[in-house]
Amino acid sequence: MLKMKHLAVLVGCTLATSSFAMDIQPDPENPGGYVIPRADIEAAEKAKTNDPMYAVWAKALETLDNAKVEAIQPGLASNPSNVIRAERVFPETEWDFLTGMAAPEYTYTRFLRAIGKFPAFCGEYTDGRDADAICKKSIITAFAHFAQETGGHIAIDNTWDNPEGLEEWQQALVHVREMGWSEGQPGYTTGCGGNDWQNRKWPCADGQGYFGRGAKQLSYHFNYGAFSEAMYAGDATVLLNNPALVADSWLNLASAIWFFLTPQAPKPAMLHVIDRTWVPSQREKDAGIGYGFGTTINVINGGIECGEQNKDKGQPVNRIRYWQGLQNHYQIPVEADEVDTCWQQLPYGSLNLNGATDVLYTNWEADYKYHSDRPGGVSFECKLVGYQTAYSALVKGDYEKCVTDVYDAQISWPEVRVIDGPIDPGPGPGPGPNPDPDPEPGDFPAWEATKVYTGGDKVSHKGGNFEAKWWTQGDDPANGGPWKQIGGTTPPIDPPVDPEPPVDPPVDPEPPIDPPVDPEPPVDPPVNPEPPAGVTEWVAGQTKVSNGDMVTNGGKCFVAKNNPGVWESPTASNWFWDEVPCK
């Protein structure tokens, strides 16, 4: 069944200088917040995604309006060009040949509509590649996986259950719902209801089950939500509230085409393995990953089916057998460097890509590097990471959502508002919206002894205004040290008349030690507390655990379950981790 990667969060706090010119100013409408021009946000995003492959990925995920999709019928001259190509290389007679045991919810019309939703599937190539051949190979590859995921798996000589003597590779699409499940059953709700970004972005509906449905057995709320966004112009709630549509409409096949076209960084999209748009990185080559059907297995289910330990396992053996039967029947050309198997490949979930410079990622995460020349040392940028997050580099507008943290997924991230046009400098001197050269006392929030402040934060205290020079907590601004006075009056020296006497003042206290003048700021103030003794601190891409092992991440402790890979970083209880008290 289709399972995309769960969330992970990596926190770093290393000293950095600004990589982009950004006009970041205090938000006059929100004390403590900031405003950034949209042009600066767009320029930063463009610089981070200037590799041509990002445009290829985004193009592959473009969709046709649903009203036009539902007008598609076999044989219509008005059908989209990619649908007409699919009809030409895979007519309805071939559909019937491969679906002799299929559930009635799967039809040729729905198959064409699923293709029509995604113009890149069976689309045109302008660089000399044979679009018809790629289309046919893509369809046959999809059917090999359908035969494994939802097939009958009945031997040809079992005349009782297979009276027509169909080959197993002719038995695709038998199941439309996961065996043992039916509509009305709540289930597959692992992770639902948590206080995390996945639930804020893809909230589970009461009483709904997110068990496997459709040709690729779409499962779990975070996949239903993401697929719903692709199908319904960004609206995740349609399929979260009515997941049965993935079984009972053309979405039962569209979910498989969507998965076929979607890269799960660092995994490539299966289409781009087949049409060779994807070029494997050196790390992938070193791990035995290259072109061929075997890599599509690694993309779908590499953690369970790839690697030498799985060489004789039933699932990959079946997939390969179905592919080879279909490939032989349809005479699909196979290049000399294509490999059908993946036992010789390292599963993607075990691939250590730390430090790799030739691997592209597809999700945005807050960049926590400390920038000394920006307010509070915050970068106000997002970076590309190799795990699922709330924000996709392939979805227009998601970089801005990441910077403004729409789904409240970041850690200690200030509130950011993006504005059109440049920031109005106002009549006063200096940067910012209408600055005052000497703000009046009380213009900034009152200093709080328990609050953490970082460089650039401003407070009012004892009749003066102060700005933090670096990270500080509990240091009275009036004493200097990590604070500099930027306005107001000097805190009064003489006490007020008739002050209340202190209760039991200490006898002959030691005189206070004068704070050093402009000490060097501490480098990288601690983000996470020290892990408990004997508990491993999680490092994504490196830490390897077994079920039952305890790790710490972000100051919390977690126990592993369901074999998390090295990228399944723990941040909250989910399919792979249980959050437990740190002891």
Side-chain angles (χ1 to χ4, degrees):
M1 61 196 67
L2 187 159
K3 297 178 184 175
M4 297 179 76
K5 295 179 76 65
H6 286 249
L7 77 162
V9 177
L10 299 177
V11 180
C13 192
T14 54
L15 197 64
T17 56
S18 300
S19 51
F20 303 97
M22 298 179 71
D23 188 8
I24 305 164
Q25 301 294 343
D27 188 346
E29 300 177 10
N30 180 22
Y34 297 90
V35 291
I36 306 175
R38 179 165 283 107
D40 290 1
I41 297 292
E42 292 173 349
E45 178 183 11
K46 184 176 181 180
K48 296 168 192 281
T49 56
N50 62 359
D51 190 288
M53 197 64 191
Y54 287 102
V56 171
W57 280 330
K59 187 73 175 176
L61 291 172
E62 289 181 355
T63 57
L64 188 68
D65 181 82
N66 285 349
K68 295 180 179 179
V69 170
E70 289 167 359
I72 294 171
Q73 294 284 346
L76 293 182
S78 59
N79 284 342
S81 60
N82 67 318
V83 172
I84 292 173
R85 172 173 286 110
E87 291 182 273
R88 182 169 63 248
V89 305
F90 193 77
E92 190 165 9
T93 53
E94 297 303 326
W95 169 269
D96 293 340
F97 177 70
L98 294 183
T99 58
M101 291 186 183
E105 289 88 348
Y106 300 112
T107 68
Y108 188 63
T109 297
R110 288 178 172 178
F111 177 62
L112 296 182
R113 289 176 179 174
I115 291 173
K117 181 65 177 177
F118 296 96
F121 191 92
C122 288
E124 189 61 65
Y125 292 85
T126 59
D127 56 4
R129 282 179 285 181
D130 187 337
D132 280 14
I134 292 170
C135 175
K136 189 171 184 179
K137 189 171 185 176
S138 297
I139 291 172
I140 298 308
T141 300
F143 263 89
H145 292 304
F146 294 164
Q148 169 58 31
E149 299 287 338
T150 58
H153 307 292
I154 302 172
I156 194 170
D157 58 359
N158 182 348
T159 56
W160 181 267
D161 296 315
N162 185 8
E164 297 182 22
L166 299 178
E167 297 281 358
E168 288 187 43
W169 47 262
Q170 288 179 271
Q171 300 173 22
L173 305 175
V174 172
H175 304 287
V176 71
R177 292 173 180 82
E178 189 171 348
M179 293 179 66
W181 291 87
S182 59
E183 299 304 336
Q185 286 183 275
Y188 272 65
T189 54
T190 298
C192 286
N195 183 26
D196 55 37
W197 67 261
Q198 283 190 332
N199 284 280
R200 287 186 284 273
K201 185 172 186 179
W202 302 310
C204 301
D206 291 341
Q208 294 295 343
Y210 302 105
F211 50 83
R213 294 179 178 89
K216 286 292 289 99
Q217 294 290 276
L218 191 77
S219 307
Y220 296 103
H221 74 109
F222 46 85
N223 284 323
Y224 276 86
F227 178 51
S228 183
E229 289 171 339
M231 294 298 98
Y232 296 101
D235 188 349
T237 64
V238 176
L239 296 182
L240 289 170
N241 294 338
N242 190 7
L245 285 172
V246 179
D248 298 330
S249 72
W250 55 268
L251 299 182
N252 57 21
L253 289 155
S255 57
I257 303 298
W258 171 69
F259 183 77
F260 199 89
L261 296 171
T262 303
Q264 303 171 63
K267 301 177 185 179
M270 287 197 290
L271 172 64
H272 297 142
V273 175
I274 292 168
D275 70 9
R276 302 172 82 91
T277 298
W278 166 71
V279 178
S281 67
Q282 190 58 51
R283 295 285 182 97
E284 288 164 311
K285 292 177 182 177
D286 293 343
I289 301 171
Y291 296 113
F293 182 78
T295 294
T296 69
I297 301 175
N298 205 339
V299 169
I300 291 175
N301 207 20
I304 294 175
E305 299 185 28
C306 296
E308 191 163 5
Q309 72 277 15
N310 295 312
K311 183 175 183 178
D312 300 318
K313 199 170 186 177
Q315 294 121 302
V317 168
N318 281 344
R319 282 188 206 271
I320 296 159
R321 186 160 53 90
Y322 300 156
W323 158 249
Q324 291 175 341
L326 287 160
Q327 182 267 327
N328 180 66
H329 177 81
Y330 286 101
Q331 293 297 292
I332 304 297
V334 175
E335 301 294 332
D337 61 349
E338 294 184 28
V339 180
D340 294 344
T341 60
C342 69
W343 63 263
Q344 74 282 7
Q345 298 183 9
L346 191 67
Y348 266 105
S350 301
L351 194 60
N352 182 358
L353 296 173
N354 282 354
T357 59
D358 57 351
V359 177
L360 300 178
Y361 298 128
T362 56
N363 286 281
W364 296 116
E365 175 67 286
D367 188 341
Y368 291 104
K369 288 183 179 177
Y370 181 83
H371 285 247
S372 59
D373 55 346
R374 290 185 178 173
V378 177
S379 74
F380 295 94
E381 296 177 24
C382 288
K383 63 181 179 180
L384 289 158
V385 294
Y387 45 84
Q388 188 187 31
T389 70
Y391 312 105
S392 171
L394 309 183
V395 176
K396 185 176 177 60
D398 260 22
Y399 183 81
E400 180 176 319
K401 289 181 179 179
C402 180
V403 173
T404 58
D405 197 12
V406 168
Y407 295 108
D408 198 21
Q410 326 291 35
I411 298 174
S412 302
W413 198 251
E415 291 189 35
V416 177
R417 185 165 59 91
V418 176
I419 61 173
D420 291 311
I423 296 173
D424 180 8
N434 300 317
D436 189 322
D438 188 11
E440 292 296 321
D443 279 2
F444 301 113
W447 174 73
E448 299 176 36
T450 59
K451 185 175 180 179
V452 171
Y453 296 92
T454 56
D457 287 347
K458 298 178 178 65
V459 299
S460 293
H461 184 59
K462 294 183 178 179
N465 293 321
F466 301 86
E467 180 179 342
K469 294 185 282 186
W470 53 77
W471 186 94
T472 175
Q473 181 182 28
D475 297 301
D476 190 322
N479 293 335
W483 295 94
K484 65 179 179 181
Q485 189 167 352
I486 58 173
T489 60
T490 302
I493 298 174
D494 296 326
V497 177
D498 295 328
E500 290 294 325
V503 178
D504 297 332
V507 179
D508 296 329
E510 291 292 328
I513 300 173
D514 292 333
V517 178
D518 291 330
E520 289 295 322
V523 178
D524 300 343
V527 177
N528 299 328
E530 287 296 318
V535 178
T536 301
E537 186 165 12
W538 176 264
V539 179
Q542 296 182 18
T543 305
K544 295 182 180 180
V545 295
S546 300
N547 288 343
D549 289 348
M550 181 184 289
V551 300
T552 180
N553 188 39
K556 301 177 182 179
C557 290
F558 303 87
V559 172
K561 61 181 182 179
N562 294 318
N563 299 311
V566 294
W567 292 105
E568 308 291 355
S569 298
T571 57
S573 293
N574 56 32
W575 176 256
F576 295 103
W577 299 98
D578 282 328
E579 185 175 346
V580 298
C582 293
K583 298 178 180 179

